Amino acid sequence: SVNPDLASERQTPSFSVEKLTFRLDGGAEHTRIRRAVVEAIERDPEFSRENQYFQSQNERYEAAVRKAVHLQKQMQEMGWTESGPEFKYIYRALSGDVAFLLHRIFMRSISVLGSDKQIAKWIPLATQFQLIGSYAQTELGHGTYLQGLETTAVFDITTQEFILNTPKISAMKWWPGDMGRSATHTVVFAQLYVHGKCYGVHPFIVQIRSLKDHSLCPGITAGDIGPKMNFEHVDNGYLMLQNVRVPRENMLNKFCEVQPDGTYVRQGSQKINYFTMTTVRISLIADEAIIPLKKACTIAIRYSVVRRQSKLKPGEQEVKILDYQTQQEKLLPPLAAAYAFHFLNDYLQELFDKGYREIQRKNFDTLPELHAFSSGFKAVVTQYCTSAVEICLRACGGHGYSLLSGLPSLYTKILASCIYEGENTILLLQTARFLIKCFMAASAGQPVPPSVTYLAAVKPGKCPAKNKSDFLSPDIYTEAYQHMAVRLTSSTAAKLQDLIQSGVKKHDAWNQCTVQLVQAAKAHCHYITVKNFAETVEKLETKAGIQKIMKHLCDLFALHGIFSNTGVFLHDGYISGAQMDMVTASYLDLLAVIRKDAVPLVDAFDFTDKSLNSALGSYDGQVYQRLYEWAQKSPTNKQMSPAYERYLKPLLHNTLSKL
Amino acid sequence: AAAMAMNADLRRERAAATFQPELLTHILDGGAERTRRRKEIEALVVNDPDFQHEDLNFLSRSQRYEQAIRKSSLMVMKLREYGIADPDEIYWFKSFVHRGRPEPLDLHLGMFLPTLLTQATPEQQDRFFMPAWNLEIIGTYAQTEMGHGTHLRGLETTATYDPATQEFILNSPTVTSIKWWPGGLGKTSNHAIVLAQLYTQGQCKGLHAFIVPIRQLGTHEPLPGITVGDIGPKFGYDEMDNGYLKMDNFRIPRENMLMKYAQVEPDGTYVKPLSDKLTYGTMVFIRSLIVGDSARSLSRACTIAIRYSAVRHQSELKPGEPEPQILDYQTQQYKLFPLLATAYAFHFVGAYIKDTYRRISGDINEGDLSELPELHALTAGLKAFTSWTANAGIEECRMACGGHGYSRCSGIPDIYVTFTPSCTYEGENTVMMLQTARFLVKSYTQVSSGQRVTGTVSYLNDLSRQRIQPQHVAARTVTVRINDPASLVEAYKARAARLVEAAAKNLQAELNHRKSKEDAWNRTSVDLVRASEAHCHYVVVKLFTAKLSEIGNAAVRAVMTELCLLYALYGISKNTGDFLQAGILTNAQIIQVNQHVKELLAIIRPNAVALVDAFDFHDVHLGSVLGRYDGNVYENMFEWAKKSPLNKTDVHESFHKHLKPMQAKL
């Protein structure tokens, strides 16, 4: 039965929860398919995550391999294909707890970077799992800065082979997933040398383990890089190469080729490479950042209406902790952000689908903009979601620290997203470079991509709001965000110009402005997010109360952003001190309004209990019983620890009193 | 590995420092003699083969628990063998043995024994203290329940007095009343001090403490009526058996209630304690430890991140030149140096609270409790302020180490999971901030009614003067000198005053159109927390600034002054809205502040490594491959990884179990 404290929250939602779920999924039909996939996976005991919190790194790895193998069978049985509508829900249903994700990146890189001949040779083998692939790019000494990679591939004209080497310790491949124990092959990125000349980083297919007995191939040193904060199920690996020879045909050569006589030929456009990186960044926003945030909000908000603590009024019952303003202040802005980012992601997907179609027609014009988008939003969204998941964790008091709450593993997993696929600070600086370039172009009257035309339309002036309800107008706050983004970009551009004109070298000037550049890039992304949320709300159906509640969330998201960054809005007097007090008042009023719908708003995310895997967040709210039951399953309660016989017993039995 | 030469980058960094790190270490330790003694104790532990073990990152939870128990037992014996009895020295010894991690006897040593000393009668001390001292009795302190934490009055465990048998009957009447979280309770302890609602003669007399045996001496089996176990895996604290305890009509003799203050007589008559303020003392003490711990944990993370940033080279700053140290990037400096400054600031704040507590605990014994409320309010706020900041700072340090920070070999994940619960235990941080706010509002109300207040809140007295001269605040705008720490203290003071006043006024406005005081308080609580934060921020800036004049060595004072300025100015740049809105600083000044922060980054850069060296963490204690003193990072990462459990065999068993059959089938 549902805990009455949770049941009462669901009695009078201001909107239709089911309809909102449909909207989030992109239509009732999608919801149906998603639920069917989730159901099929969750009823299969092979995919159970029940013991996840009690397993060692070794056990987690084995389970992930077992699940990946089982999944192949299951997909055949269910008739699910990689191009079918079900596919994208599978990963979500498994909560990512499965091996061979890098195998897919291996295949994708061959499809994108390989010639037709190479595709014909390798893809069928990979599809049939006759080999298991990985993708070896990052090294001990280098990550996001790819030009710095140190692995070498020297062409030997006499044998028509490349000789791959790890010339020093920092050149060792480090971190690639599936490589520590599983992979038989990997795509190695190495500096290509022909006739003593370096041609930069290129990809090579290298076999690392025997297909017969899985032992390491000659010249290969490989293994697991050891325990991490999470991803215990993935065998992130290291790889050292000593004079490993691969045939000339193993260099992926759709764009670049070394001919038998050693002639280096570049063909086609390499720009498409960037597009692969760009799409990976966009796809991780939804799976690795927004979904974990939605889960964390669901757990923390449900728990906060079950947990009662202290009294607001003497003599009355203890209060649900969600009724405390400080708790609302912690949880409701992340909830609003989860919706803001959901709609942002829809927008980005659409943009990228369009971009992809253009690129297939060999039109690369939109690439710089898409690249700036993917870098900036990957950084801003992962950063925000990571902090917000941690807030949710700490908002659950002591119980949040129990692994059984589900929150620690959500947190330790999401925080890796701030680093992989490009370290966030570096990505923001890439977006900033684009902004500065566009700002300069716009100032000189040249055309700029649509997302940044606002930089040209600098309107000096003041915020026109007269009272606190004016701040519930999307025009007012969107304008404020726009003003702030323009100001930060233009002032940084001016500073950069000043420095250069005063004789500072360009790169030094850039480094001296990077703190401001990062701020400008964030402001740009924040503005686009607010603007997109407001525009989405406008287009929502007015029926079933959905538009109204989404409007509240949009207002909250926008005003919370101003409330938390008062300085940048006050700085040039665009918002006055008196107006800032109105923002605060409006923002605090909204907390109380959204409080009433908080549980329906997380219910609409439609996570099953199994996918949350949380003693605190399940749908029925039987928090304490579940915590107690689950704790008893802990191996620490089932297995006798040798600690008692070996250490505690002698300790308790007076061995010390001799002293 | 010990024979490796020092990494050339780190050697250069150390040679270029403008001051001697040892001198700064002495200041942090409280004198050269104390540094010497600390290092002596450190050597006792580090060189003792009994305290060696495999890298904890490769052990399971159960193995980590076992190692911790083993080391704890040895530790107790060796402390006595060496005759170490001074509390600071015990603390050093213990933290070297356990390398800054929790251990299963923490609650026995830190709560069970001290509570016996302060709350047991002489008769009870005779019965329990020596056996506990000799570890025949291992105890824990069972306060938190599944349903209640910081809000103690809500605890549900009951202890009902039965005059017929002269016993207390202990019960856990609901699921939520199960004791949950106490350290050492799951597997280690055979006794617990249990906090329960006392019922006698049909009346509830509130929370009292009882000594409850939970496991059979000899067999260590749970006693009949006792259900006890481990609460399962957590975010860190692997070596600690945090436990649960459920009691069903479990009887203990009347004499097991801790009766130094409150008493229940044989017939059930309840005798009230003389004062209830006395429990404040322990709380102040423990929270002051957390402030020190915030400083130490953040210092460890900074040491790792800054040394690694000096060793790591990446990308290019200038075309054609070799890859620069990542510490040369402005964004990296901007991440790390304010945290370094914060770590120093918190060290001085921690030392200040510890000294103040020591000073006034003398007064408490004399019966003078007058300074206690302020100190209590201050430590509650500072506990929250410093632990929140350090918590975020540790994560920032980890992130600044890129991908490798995420590996457990960096040591930062461990620092983080060990530290982060301090935002919650010993008083949940938001609740702590609201306690401080209560004191601030009370002080403000006193000032408004014409009284003067003293101590750290005395700046509120100025508010009444401002009301006579409304131009006062505005007039002060131009007088803030951003190169002068003392002047910045005034700016922070003005900000705190403004936010306390705003919160108090908003509270009053709510009270004017609402009946319930509690509702009004709740609807103002976001403002109240902000006011408390501003107050604590002011106190930290003030204490850091005050410390500067005590530093004798000119070179050390110079570098500490730079850090102090960075701390203060960075705080302003992160909270410009407060300073602008209150008219404390102008737009032009804010631009100067931002500019000066960046100049300070460049000024501090040459001393960054020396500044973390001065924290003087031994490599064993630091437990980080990235943060090694000798900087030989990459070689040792490889050595470390080879020891990973997944590398025990060359071909993992799952190949034969799963991969091979699949390949055959497809």
Side-chain angles (χ1 to χ4, degrees):
Chain A
S1 67
V2 175
N3 180 313
D5 280 334
L6 198 42
S8 67
E9 298 283 335
R10 295 181 172 125
Q11 259 160 18
T12 50
S14 76
F15 64 94
S16 157
V17 175
E18 185 77 351
K19 287 237 167 72
L20 183 55
T21 302
F22 294 161
R23 176 62 184 78
L24 292 177
D25 281 322
E29 175 59 11
H30 291 276
T31 301
R32 193 193 59 74
I33 297 172
R34 176 175 58 72
R35 285 179 179 162
V37 171
V38 169
E39 215 253 305
I41 285 188
E42 288 187 349
R43 79 169 166 243
D44 188 336
E46 284 289 314
F47 292 124
S48 166
R49 291 195 296 136
E50 197 188 328
N51 291 317
Q52 183 182 314
Y53 301 132
F54 305 127
Q55 286 171 330
S56 69
Q57 192 193 359
N58 248 326
E59 289 163 337
R60 291 277 313 268
Y61 166 67
E62 193 192 322
V65 170
R66 195 191 65 232
K67 285 182 195 180
V69 169
H70 185 69
L71 180 63
Q72 296 309 312
K73 206 179 99 203
Q74 192 71 1
M75 282 181 64
Q76 284 178 357
E77 259 172 41
M78 299 294 294
W80 295 338
T81 63
E82 300 206 1
S83 51
E86 295 89 0
F87 192 69
K88 65 174 174 179
Y89 299 122
I90 295 175
Y91 180 80
R92 171 174 170 166
L94 292 165
S95 295
D97 202 28
V98 63
F100 306 155
L101 296 175
L102 267 287
H103 183 70
R104 296 198 189 287
I105 307 276
F106 172 82
M107 288 170 68
R108 191 190 309 191
S109 61
I110 292 174
S111 309
V112 175
L113 305 173
S115 63
D116 293 343
K117 207 171 143 194
Q118 288 170 325
I119 293 172
K121 175 177 177 188
W122 295 102
I123 296 296
L125 290 171
T127 311
Q128 297 295 311
F129 279 95
Q130 296 303 305
L131 58 82
I132 293 163
S134 173
Y135 181 86
Q137 179 176 298
T138 301
E139 295 173 359
L140 253 183
H142 287 89
T144 307
Y145 179 66
L146 294 184
Q147 292 106 295
L149 295 179
E150 297 173 295
T151 304
T152 57
V154 179
F155 185 59
D156 178 353
I157 198 160
T158 55
T159 60
Q160 293 287 303
E161 290 171 319
F162 294 104
I163 311 165
L164 283 105
N165 267 298
T166 304
K168 57 206 271 208
I169 192 110
S170 56
M172 199 177 340
K173 294 293 172 186
W174 200 270
W175 281 109
D178 292 336
M179 197 173 76
R181 313 298 310 174
S182 304
T184 60
H185 287 67
T186 184
V187 173
V188 171
F189 283 79
Q191 301 285 358
L192 168 66
Y193 284 87
V194 184
H195 297 316
K197 186 176 171 207
C198 181
Y199 289 91
V201 175
H202 289 73
F204 301 85
I205 299 179
V206 180
Q207 179 170 358
I208 59 171
R209 288 191 176 87
S210 152
L211 290 172
K212 287 200 199 80
D213 61 5
H214 216 63
S215 62
L216 291 172
C217 293
I220 300 284
T221 308
D224 176 84
I225 63 159
K228 300 138 291 188
M229 284 189 95
N230 195 319
F231 291 90
E232 295 96 334
H233 63 291
V234 179
D235 54 324
N236 296 87
Y238 59 76
L239 172 69
M240 221 180 347
L241 304 145
Q242 281 160 309
N243 291 317
V244 173
R245 287 173 173 263
V246 299
R248 192 179 62 89
E249 295 76 22
N250 277 27
M251 180 172 122
L252 293 176
N253 61 10
K254 181 168 183 180
F255 302 108
C256 304
E257 193 183 11
V258 176
Q259 294 179 341
D261 66 349
T263 312
Y264 177 82
V265 186
R266 187 180 282 274
Q267 48 198 348
S269 168
Q270 255 186 318
K271 280 184 181 167
I272 189 81
N273 286 350
Y274 293 106
F275 193 68
T276 317
M277 228 155 46
T278 301
T279 50
V280 172
R281 281 178 194 150
I282 291 298
S283 63
L284 79 85
I285 289 178
D287 289 340
E288 308 298 341
I290 302 175
I291 286 184
L293 174 60
K294 287 175 179 171
K295 284 186 177 176
C297 287
T298 306
I299 296 168
I301 286 177
R302 285 183 183 161
Y303 176 64
S304 295
V305 299
V306 170
R307 178 86 170 175
R308 289 177 175 272
Q309 204 76 179
S310 187
K311 294 174 185 180
L312 264 181
K313 288 165 205 156
E316 284 189 6
Q317 203 186 0
E318 287 183 83
V319 180
K320 292 175 176 178
I321 58 175
L322 195 58
D323 288 326
Y324 290 100
Q325 191 187 51
T326 45
Q327 187 78 353
Q328 294 164 10
E329 153 83 349
K330 286 174 194 172
L331 296 179
L332 302 183
L335 176 65
Y339 278 94
F341 294 149
H342 181 100
F343 296 127
L344 176 74
N345 183 57
D346 286 350
Y347 164 72
L348 292 175
Q349 289 298 345
E350 205 174 304
L351 210 65
F352 275 75
D353 290 346
K354 217 168 82 191
Y356 187 64
R357 285 193 297 275
E358 288 297 314
I359 280 161
Q360 278 181 325
R361 297 211 308 261
K362 301 265 184 245
N363 174 7
F364 297 107
D365 291 352
T366 56
L367 212 50
E369 188 187 17
L370 292 180
H371 185 70
F373 259 113
S374 73
S375 308
F377 284 113
K378 183 271 181 182
V380 166
V381 176
T382 56
Q383 197 94 58
Y384 186 97
C385 292
T386 299
S387 315
V389 170
E390 201 203 7
I391 289 170
C392 291
L393 187 156
R394 280 195 275 120
C396 292
H399 296 327
Y401 295 103
S402 168
L403 290 197
L404 308 180
S405 74
L407 292 166
S409 56
L410 283 173
Y411 178 63
T412 50
K413 201 168 174 204
I414 193 176
L415 55 80
S417 68
C418 297
I419 309 281
Y420 60 59
E421 296 303 330
E423 194 276 333
N424 280 353
T425 303
I426 298 172
L427 294 186
L428 286 167
L429 287 172
Q430 290 180 7
T431 304
R433 206 176 275 281
F434 170 79
L435 284 178
I436 295 291
K437 219 170 122 186
C438 293
F439 177 78
M440 301 302 228
S443 312
Q446 290 158 10
V448 293
S451 62
V452 283
T453 46
Y454 77 93
L455 290 174
V458 196
K459 282 174 279 181
K462 306 265 179 221
C463 172
K466 298 222 165 32
N467 50 52
K468 69 175 181 175
S469 60
D470 285 349
F471 278 103
L472 300 179
S473 152
D475 288 345
I476 297 269
Y477 55 67
T478 308
E479 195 90 344
Y481 273 94
Q482 183 182 349
H483 179 87
M484 188 250 319
V486 172
R487 180 177 67 76
L488 288 171
T489 304
S490 63
S491 67
T492 312
K495 169 97 182 295
L496 209 48
Q497 286 295 87
D498 283 356
L499 282 171
I500 292 169
Q501 268 162 19
S502 72
V504 180
K505 289 201 183 103
K506 223 170 151 186
H507 43 260
D508 282 331
W510 180 263
N511 191 32
Q512 283 174 36
C513 290
T514 44
V515 167
Q516 277 166 278
L517 287 161
V518 165
Q519 211 189 3
K522 283 185 185 167
H524 167 72
C525 295
H526 208 157
Y527 159 61
I528 303 274
T529 311
V530 168
K531 181 165 160 268
N532 178 65
F533 200 171
E535 286 170 1
T536 308
V537 168
E538 208 152 288
K539 284 179 271 172
L540 285 173
E541 56 174 329
T542 47
K543 281 182 297 187
I546 285 174
Q547 192 186 44
K548 193 166 165 226
I549 186 69
M550 288 299 116
K551 164 77 168 51
H552 289 320
L553 283 178
C554 179
D555 294 347
L556 183 74
F557 180 76
L559 296 187
H560 176 255
I562 301 177
F563 174 78
S564 321
N565 299 285
T566 51
V568 289
F569 291 93
L570 288 165
H571 187 85
D572 62 348
Y574 182 79
I575 290 185
S576 70
Q579 284 173 324
M580 195 52 83
D581 287 340
M582 296 172 200
V583 168
T584 306
S586 242
Y587 161 65
L588 293 175
D589 288 348
L590 276 167
L591 290 178
V593 173
I594 293 164
R595 156 69 187 91
K596 297 188 198 106
D597 280 320
V599 169
L601 280 168
V602 296
D603 284 352
F605 295 142
D606 199 27
F607 290 111
T608 60
D609 284 354
K610 281 185 179 160
S611 83
L612 292 173
N613 208 11
S614 164
L616 304 187
S618 51
Y619 188 83
D620 68 8
Q622 300 297 351
V623 167
Y624 298 116
Q625 289 81 345
R626 199 165 273 113
L627 207 48
Y628 188 41
E629 266 167 42
W630 287 14
Q632 289 172 61
K633 286 193 257 174
S634 170
T636 41
N637 290 324
K638 291 199 296 199
Q639 295 154 12
M640 189 63 195
S641 165
Y644 176 70
E645 283 297 324
R646 270 188 223 159
Y647 305 112
L648 275 179
K649 204 167 162 185
L651 191 65
L652 292 163
H653 287 226
N654 249 343
T655 35
L656 288 172
S657 52
K658 280 179 270 166
L659 288 165
Chain B
M4 274 189 206
M6 190 191 293
N7 168 292
D9 287 314
L10 281 186
R11 201 171 49 230
R12 261 194 305 277
E13 296 286 341
R14 285 172 180 140
T18 64
F19 70 101
Q20 280 178 274
E22 303 80 43
L23 296 178
L24 186 49
T25 307
H26 298 161
I27 293 171
L28 293 174
D29 279 327
E33 172 51 25
R34 277 170 61 88
T35 300
R36 190 198 61 74
R37 179 66 178 148
R38 176 177 58 76
K39 289 174 102 74
E40 188 173 76
I41 289 176
E42 188 173 273
L44 280 179
V45 177
V46 173
N47 299 328
D48 186 338
D50 285 349
F51 289 124
Q52 309 297 317
H53 50 78
E54 198 183 337
D55 190 316
L56 295 174
N57 287 302
F58 302 129
L59 302 183
S60 70
R61 220 198 121 202
S62 163
Q63 289 167 323
R64 282 174 85 147
Y65 168 69
E66 191 184 327
Q67 279 301 342
I69 279 280
R70 184 182 70 81
K71 288 197 291 183
S72 294
S73 335
L74 281 170
M75 176 182 82
V76 173
M77 285 194 273
K78 295 203 181 201
L79 278 171
R80 289 177 201 182
E81 196 181 308
Y82 298 135
I84 296 174
D86 172 76
D88 281 347
E89 296 191 354
I90 292 176
Y91 178 85
W92 287 332
F93 195 90
K94 184 170 138 28
S95 75
F96 296 139
V97 168
H98 290 284
R99 302 171 191 182
R101 291 186 175 85
E103 51 109 349
L105 294 189
D106 274 348
L107 276 275
H108 177 76
L109 302 172
M111 291 298 287
F112 190 79
L113 290 175
T115 309
L116 285 180
L117 281 177
T118 53
Q119 296 189 38
T121 63
E123 180 275 329
Q124 289 172 324
Q125 298 209 6
D126 286 347
R127 255 192 308 148
F128 293 108
F129 193 81
M130 279 323 284
W133 182 247
N134 288 327
L135 293 171
E136 288 158 45
I137 286 177
I138 296 178
T140 179
Y141 190 82
Q143 176 176 297
T144 300
E145 296 173 359
M146 211 189 285
H148 287 88
T150 306
H151 179 61
L152 292 184
R153 275 166 301 160
L155 295 177
E156 298 172 281
T157 303
T158 57
T160 310
Y161 185 63
D162 176 1
T165 60
Q166 305 216 357
E167 289 171 320
F168 291 102
I169 310 166
L170 285 135
N171 268 302
S172 310
T174 58
V175 179
T176 46
S177 74
I178 296 172
K179 294 292 176 188
W180 200 267
W181 284 107
L185 173 64
K187 298 282 144 184
T188 312
S189 301
N190 55 25
H191 280 68
I193 288 175
V194 169
L195 270 88
Q197 303 286 358
L198 166 65
Y199 284 87
T200 181
Q201 298 175 334
Q203 277 184 312
C204 181
K205 299 291 179 189
L207 278 187
H208 289 76
F210 303 85
I211 302 176
V212 181
I214 56 175
R215 286 176 186 270
Q216 184 71 51
L217 298 184
T219 65
H220 211 58
E221 290 293 330
L223 293 166
I226 296 288
T227 309
V228 64
D230 174 86
I231 62 163
K234 297 141 297 189
F235 200 27
Y237 272 60
D238 279 350
E239 33 284 291
M240 180 70 97
D241 55 323
N242 297 82
Y244 59 76
L245 171 68
K246 189 168 172 289
M247 292 167 294
D248 295 300
N249 289 317
F250 188 76
R251 288 173 173 263
I252 55 170
R254 185 185 67 93
E255 295 81 9
N256 277 25
M257 174 173 142
L258 287 174
M259 290 209 264
K260 186 166 174 187
Y261 301 112
Q263 283 154 26
V264 172
E265 291 176 349
D267 65 351
T269 307
Y270 178 73
V271 184
K272 265 211 286 213
L274 288 173
S275 164
D276 55 359
K277 269 191 191 153
L278 287 157
T279 47
Y280 275 12
T282 330
M283 279 197 280
V284 167
F285 177 67
I286 292 180
R287 287 173 192 160
S288 77
L289 290 183
I290 294 178
V291 175
D293 201 31
S294 300
R296 272 182 300 274
S297 300
L298 185 56
S299 308
R300 283 173 73 188
C302 283
T303 303
I304 296 167
I306 287 180
R307 284 185 186 157
Y308 176 63
S309 298
V311 170
R312 177 95 169 167
H313 289 252
Q314 202 77 178
S315 192
E316 55 180 26
L317 262 177
K318 297 174 192 165
E321 287 193 9
E323 293 181 86
Q325 293 164 289
I326 58 174
L327 200 54
D328 287 334
Y329 289 97
Q330 190 189 55
T331 45
Q332 189 77 350
Q333 295 167 5
Y334 191 67
K335 284 176 193 171
L336 295 177
F337 296 168
L339 294 174
L340 179 63
T342 306
Y344 274 98
F346 290 179
H347 269 292
F348 300 136
V349 175
Y352 166 84
I353 297 188
K354 202 167 135 191
D355 289 347
T356 312
Y357 172 74
R358 216 169 262 174
R359 179 172 60 75
I360 72 166
S361 59
D363 301 342
I364 297 172
N365 285 340
E366 304 285 299
D368 175 7
L369 305 176
S370 59
E371 278 189 81
L372 206 48
E374 192 203 340
L375 188 64
H376 180 248
L378 187 63
T379 43
L382 286 172
K383 179 259 180 191
F385 184 80
T386 59
S387 63
W388 266 337
T389 309
N391 185 71
I394 294 165
E395 279 296 75
E396 187 81 30
C397 287
R398 184 185 55 69
M399 222 87 95
C401 295
H404 296 329
Y406 193 75
S407 166
R408 299 255 289 265
C409 79
S410 77
I412 306 182
D414 224 22
I415 296 172
Y416 176 72
V417 295
T418 304
F419 179 74
T420 189
S422 55
C423 295
T424 305
Y425 61 56
E426 299 302 333
E428 197 277 328
N429 277 357
T430 303
V431 180
M432 293 298 97
M433 281 297 188
L434 288 171
Q435 285 188 8
T436 304
R438 210 171 276 281
F439 179 77
L440 294 174
V441 170
K442 201 172 135 196
S443 304
Y444 176 81
T445 314
Q446 283 172 338
V447 169
S448 310
S449 64
Q451 288 171 270
R452 288 190 64 77
V453 291
T454 55
T456 55
V457 287
S458 54
Y459 61 83
L460 293 174
N461 294 324
D462 299 347
L463 285 168
S464 54
R465 246 179 292 142
Q466 281 163 32
R467 241 167 260 119
I468 305 163
Q469 300 167 280
Q471 298 310 309
H472 192 85
V473 171
R476 202 155 54 182
T477 308
V478 284
T479 66
V480 176
R481 294 175 309 277
I482 64 163
N483 274 316
D484 175 9
S487 181
L488 296 174
V489 172
E490 292 304 311
Y492 273 92
K493 196 191 259 187
R495 169 190 179 225
R498 190 256 165 189
L499 287 176
V500 170
E501 180 167 50
K505 282 184 171 162
N506 288 350
L507 180 64
Q508 193 52 51
E510 287 289 344
L511 279 169
N512 289 346
H513 52 84
R514 226 168 284 275
K515 286 197 295 278
S516 152
K517 250 185 359 203
E518 290 76 10
D519 265 348
W521 180 263
N522 188 29
R523 292 182 61 90
T524 320
S525 52
V526 168
D527 295 331
L528 290 162
V529 169
R530 281 177 85 188
S532 291
E533 282 177 333
H535 175 71
C536 292
H537 210 156
Y538 151 68
V539 171
V540 175
V541 173
K542 182 179 134 170
L543 291 176
F544 197 167
T545 305
K547 188 74 194 176
L548 297 176
S549 59
E550 295 172 24
I551 301 172
N553 181 283
V556 175
R557 193 171 56 243
V559 72
M560 280 295 109
T561 304
E562 287 153 13
L563 277 185
C564 179
L565 273 173
L566 179 65
Y567 180 78
L569 293 174
Y570 179 81
I572 293 175
S573 76
K574 283 283 147 185
N575 296 282
T576 51
D578 291 348
F579 292 91
L580 285 169
Q581 206 179 352
I584 303 161
L585 292 168
T586 63
N587 286 343
Q589 283 175 312
I590 293 290
I591 291 170
Q592 283 172 23
V593 166
N594 289 335
Q595 187 50 35
H596 201 44
V597 164
K598 282 178 268 177
E599 286 161 15
L600 282 166
L601 297 178
I603 292 171
I604 290 163
R605 168 67 187 85
N607 280 322
V609 169
L611 280 165
V612 297
D613 284 350
F615 291 137
D616 199 25
F617 289 109
H618 192 286
D619 272 352
V620 171
H621 189 93
L622 206 53
S624 166
V625 179
L626 301 190
R628 293 168 61 93
Y629 185 80
D630 70 8
N632 292 308
V633 169
Y634 297 129
E635 299 81 349
N636 286 287
M637 274 182 83
F638 187 34
E639 290 309 309
W640 182 86
K642 284 194 256 180
K643 296 178 203 145
S644 163
L646 250 67
N647 290 331
K648 287 255 158 74
T649 56
D650 262 341
V651 176
H652 195 265
E653 55 183 341
S654 61
F655 171 70
H656 302 288
K657 262 163 110 175
H658 306 293
L659 292 180
K660 213 171 172 184
M662 170 180 73
Q663 288 169 339
K665 249 184 263 168
L666 284 167

